[in-house]
Amino acid sequence: MFEKILSVKPEGTSILIIDAGDGSYRHLLSSYVQHRQQQQVSVSWVPCGQSADELPGTSGSSAGPIEQSDSSDQDWETAEDIGRQLEAALPLPGPPARLLVVRDASRLLHWLGPTALCRLIRRSCDRGHQVVLGVLEEAVPEEHLSQLRHYSTHVLSVEGAGRELTVSGTYRFKAGKVETATERVSLSADLVVTRVEPARPVPAVPAAARAAPAAPLAPGLTTFSLQLSETEKQSRDRLVLPYLRPEQGGGDSGPGTGQIFYQPDAADDWDEEDPDDDLDI
Amino acid sequence: MQEDQYGDYAHLVLSYFMSEAVCNRHRLLAASLDADPSKMILELPSPADGEVTAVRPPAGAADQRMTIAWRYQGLPQQPAPAAGRFGQHYDLSRYIEKSAIDAMDISLWPEDEPPGADHAAASDRLDSLLAACDRLASGAEPDTAPTVRRLAVRSLGSPLWSAPPELVVRACHLLRALLRVTGAVAMVTVPTHLWTDEALVARLRRCADISIGLESFQGTPAAQSPAFSEYHGLVHVHRLSARNVLAARYPRHPDLAFKVRRKKFSVETLHLPPELSETASRSQEDDSAPARKARPAAGCQAARPGAPLDF
């Protein structure tokens, strides 16, 4: 799946890369940007402000105003300055398609809120460009993250350290198809994707199991139950059918033999005599 | 209408609503901040069994001489019904022609995009939308026959509105009050899956006469399940209109599923498919082989253990 988004046309799409906390998403983001640059796509880096470590609520945070970043052409003092920079970074509609990269969206989410970023994503995609955002999952409230996911075409969750990454992705394609996949992505020293393979090998499914609805479904989808719980399965296995009687002193008769157990009652004439013995024919 | 996770099917239903307005020549207001309203009305599905024309087909000639029903010759002509055929099938692969769209009375919101609109307060934005709805719903048409007014709002309360859910609920409440006095009809899709407060979602449902939620199987394990293989999602009917009746009539079976075809969007009662596999129900017995061996031999037993005749 990850190779698919590298090969399809990216115009009008957005990719959200969520880092689980190791900071390893930067390698994947840089690798993707490098891949697009090799395809002669113009890349614009959106200014992001302070580093994520300096955000309030994290260790080493600063409660002061936004400090000037290391970029010489940025002169921020308030969140409005960042907002204006964001508006200026929005490319004009029309070809050629550009790639907008937000290296650390968690900073912008802190200072501008999710609305500005969602608007950036929406407008860029409507104008035929592509947006790639990286965000630290720990630095962003889940509510803001869900709003970014709502506007993102592909959502990748990255784990791992170094250049061996585990990418869990939800991919939406133009036909409306949504696919999910967990893959191991290997990057070379110069951030080129060298290998993409499923995280867990897919076992061969026998024909009998394929026909059975074995995949567990989320509860609450319907008012009736489609599967049995463990207790229900055990209860069904323990059930003794009414026409079966417990063994009476003896082992298993084995297959192919049949025995009829008859319990005569008081009205039966059960004896060994031949009832036709007194016939006078 | 509560949107599904990706909003595709809710927007599809909204496009059906707008297409119905175009086919029946109703006045329409298309509003959205998530999508360009002008593009929304250009991508409306066309009816499957005909084209929508810009000009209404003329009524029968009034000067035709009647030879059989001659007693009705001099009676005044009844006005032609304003609406066309109600309830049609739409072809998703074709759009309504632009000429037919241009001949319609369609309003858009927002009409333009001034630079300061992005920074406007959320309450001002909602008030502007309600004002546009009021203008359409209350507008008089002295020259033409009165017709139905339709309001289509897409993704109200999405993050682009930057409005807290309480304001969205208030706006829906005011919209319903507006519709009560004007007789217009509105369809509003809301991405409630982004809301964290379930109480507000319940309040939102009560602000509408009809509240329906769509739950798609896209990207979920249910999409791979054989039980849901024929369907694209579930329909949850939360509330139905009880106007002018004692009580709303809810469907007998609450489990409804929908499937989308090129020319049809059908909602069906969800039921279990017929069990055709011989081994699915026997999987537990295979797992408990030691328990089966301890079971005594029965009279009705096939020669081969595990045969289909065993019961």
Side-chain angles (χ1 to χ4, degrees):
Chain A
M1 282 301 136
F2 184 73
E3 289 174 320
K4 212 170 181 179
I5 65 171
L6 292 178
S7 58
V8 298
K9 286 186 179 178
E11 286 82 13
T13 61
S14 57
I15 300 177
L16 176 66
I17 303 176
I18 303 172
D19 186 85
D22 301 333
S24 53
Y25 79 96
R26 298 176 190 271
H27 294 299
L28 191 69
L29 189 144
S30 302
S31 170
Y32 184 82
V33 172
Q34 185 176 309
H35 175 75
R36 287 299 171 209
Q37 284 176 330
Q38 289 172 357
Q39 295 178 342
Q40 311 300 325
V41 175
S42 302
V43 177
S44 301
W45 292 85
V46 177
C48 295
Q50 287 178 309
S51 65
D53 297 338
E54 297 170 353
L55 291 175
T58 58
S59 57
S61 65
S62 168
I66 301 172
E67 295 179 3
Q68 190 171 2
S69 69
D70 53 357
S71 175
S72 60
D73 57 350
Q74 295 175 354
D75 185 12
W76 299 337
E77 292 185 357
T78 61
E80 284 74 19
D81 294 335
I82 300 183
R84 277 191 285 274
Q85 290 276 351
L86 212 62
E87 289 289 333
L90 194 64
L92 296 175
R98 299 180 66 86
L99 173 63
L100 244 64
V101 183
V102 182
R103 189 175 177 85
D104 194 351
S106 46
R107 308 176 193 177
L108 293 178
L109 279 172
H110 171 70
W111 296 112
L112 298 178
T115 302
L117 273 182
C118 294
R119 192 175 293 127
L120 174 73
I121 297 173
R122 173 59 64 184
R123 284 189 176 175
S124 300
C125 294
D126 287 346
R127 295 181 180 186
H129 305 292
Q130 188 186 21
V131 183
V132 176
L133 305 98
V135 62
L136 286 170
E137 190 175 15
E138 294 177 349
V140 173
E142 178 58 32
E143 185 179 353
H144 294 174
L145 209 55
S146 64
Q147 293 178 6
L148 286 184
R149 285 199 194 99
H150 180 69
Y151 286 98
S152 299
T153 310
H154 310 298
V155 179
L156 309 179
S157 182
V158 180
E159 289 179 340
R163 294 185 175 82
E164 296 292 328
L165 306 171
T166 301
V167 179
S168 305
T170 302
Y171 305 91
R172 293 179 59 192
F173 299 101
K174 281 192 177 178
K177 194 174 180 183
V178 176
E179 296 183 13
T180 57
T182 301
E183 296 165 315
R184 289 189 192 280
V185 177
S186 302
L187 303 176
S188 63
D190 51 355
L191 299 179
V192 175
V193 177
T194 55
R195 187 180 59 191
V196 178
E197 60 185 11
R200 285 178 294 275
V202 179
V205 180
R210 237 179 277 132
L217 298 176
L221 280 180
T222 57
T223 57
F224 52 85
S225 175
L226 293 177
Q227 292 177 324
L228 295 176
S229 62
E230 287 303 318
T231 54
E232 289 172 341
K233 287 179 188 175
Q234 291 171 8
S235 300
R236 189 169 75 171
D237 292 337
R238 285 196 300 266
L239 177 66
V240 177
L241 297 175
Y243 51 83
L244 292 180
R245 300 194 181 189
E247 276 188 0
Q248 296 176 1
D252 193 355
S253 317
T257 61
Q259 286 188 353
I260 298 177
F261 296 93
Y262 177 69
Q263 186 69 29
D265 53 10
D268 285 334
D269 181 18
W270 186 262
D271 53 17
E272 299 297 330
E273 295 177 358
D274 186 1
D276 299 327
D277 221 6
D278 56 350
L279 277 181
D280 185 12
I281 300 174
Chain B
M1 171 167 289
Q2 294 177 241
E3 293 183 2
D4 47 310
Q5 185 178 3
Y6 299 104
D8 295 337
Y9 296 106
H11 300 160
L12 178 63
V13 174
L14 189 69
S15 66
Y16 286 142
F17 178 78
M18 291 192 287
S19 293
E20 196 71 17
V22 173
C23 292
N24 292 281
R25 295 181 177 83
H26 296 164
R27 294 185 64 188
L28 174 66
L29 168 70
S32 177
L33 282 185
D34 283 44
D36 187 1
S38 57
K39 287 185 182 176
M40 283 168 56
I41 61 173
L42 290 178
E43 295 177 353
L44 297 179
S46 175
D49 55 352
E51 292 289 339
V52 180
T53 58
V55 179
R56 184 178 300 181
D63 56 351
Q64 285 183 353
R65 179 178 171 77
M66 299 181 187
T67 57
I68 298 177
W70 52 270
R71 292 179 186 274
Y72 301 95
Q73 183 71 47
L75 291 179
Q77 289 285 330
Q78 295 293 331
R85 202 179 76 187
F86 179 75
Q88 308 182 58
H89 294 293
Y90 294 93
D91 190 348
L92 297 178
S93 60
R94 293 188 295 126
Y95 295 146
I96 296 179
E97 291 183 359
K98 191 174 181 305
S99 57
I101 300 290
D102 294 338
M104 290 289 303
D105 184 1
I106 297 178
S107 308
L108 305 177
W109 187 93
E111 296 175 352
D112 50 8
E113 195 171 358
D118 296 341
H119 305 287
S123 58
D124 295 338
R125 217 172 282 135
L126 289 170
D127 291 342
S128 170
L129 172 64
L130 289 173
C133 295
D134 189 18
R135 282 194 297 273
L136 178 77
S138 308
E141 297 174 342
D143 299 334
T144 59
T147 180
V148 176
R149 288 89 186 281
R150 294 186 182 229
L151 313 173
V153 183
R154 174 169 159 170
S155 296
L156 177 67
S158 68
L160 293 186
W161 289 80
S162 64
E166 293 84 1
L167 282 185
V168 176
V169 172
R170 172 183 170 273
C172 290
H173 194 70
L174 292 175
L175 179 63
R176 188 171 76 157
L178 172 67
L179 299 177
R180 281 284 189 274
V181 297
T182 57
V185 61
M187 174 177 275
V188 179
T189 66
V190 183
T192 54
H193 58 274
L194 298 177
W195 293 10
T196 55
D197 193 348
E198 286 297 324
L200 284 172
V201 176
R203 283 178 57 189
L204 180 70
R205 289 175 189 157
R206 297 198 61 83
C207 286
D209 292 323
I210 300 173
S211 175
I212 294 176
L214 295 183
E215 180 179 354
S216 70
F217 297 147
Q218 290 172 308
T220 64
Q224 312 298 331
S225 171
F228 300 131
S229 59
E230 296 183 0
Y231 304 105
H232 293 106
L234 299 176
V235 176
H236 302 289
V237 178
H238 299 295
R239 180 183 168 92
L240 290 179
S241 175
R243 294 188 64 189
N244 303 323
V245 293
L246 288 176
R249 184 179 177 183
Y250 284 83
R252 180 178 299 180
H253 302 285
D255 300 303
L256 301 174
F258 68 88
K259 56 183 172 183
V260 179
R261 297 288 181 260
R262 190 167 66 94
K263 293 186 180 181
K264 200 173 182 182
F265 183 102
S266 59
V267 179
E268 300 175 357
T269 302
L270 181 64
H271 58 86
L272 291 175
E275 181 58 60
L276 300 177
S277 169
E278 293 182 356
T279 58
S281 59
R282 297 293 175 188
S283 58
Q284 290 77 17
E285 291 190 3
D286 293 333
D287 295 336
S288 61
R292 267 187 12 100
K293 284 185 181 175
R295 209 177 291 167
C300 298
Q301 189 176 29
R304 179 173 53 86
L309 291 179
D310 285 345
F311 55 91

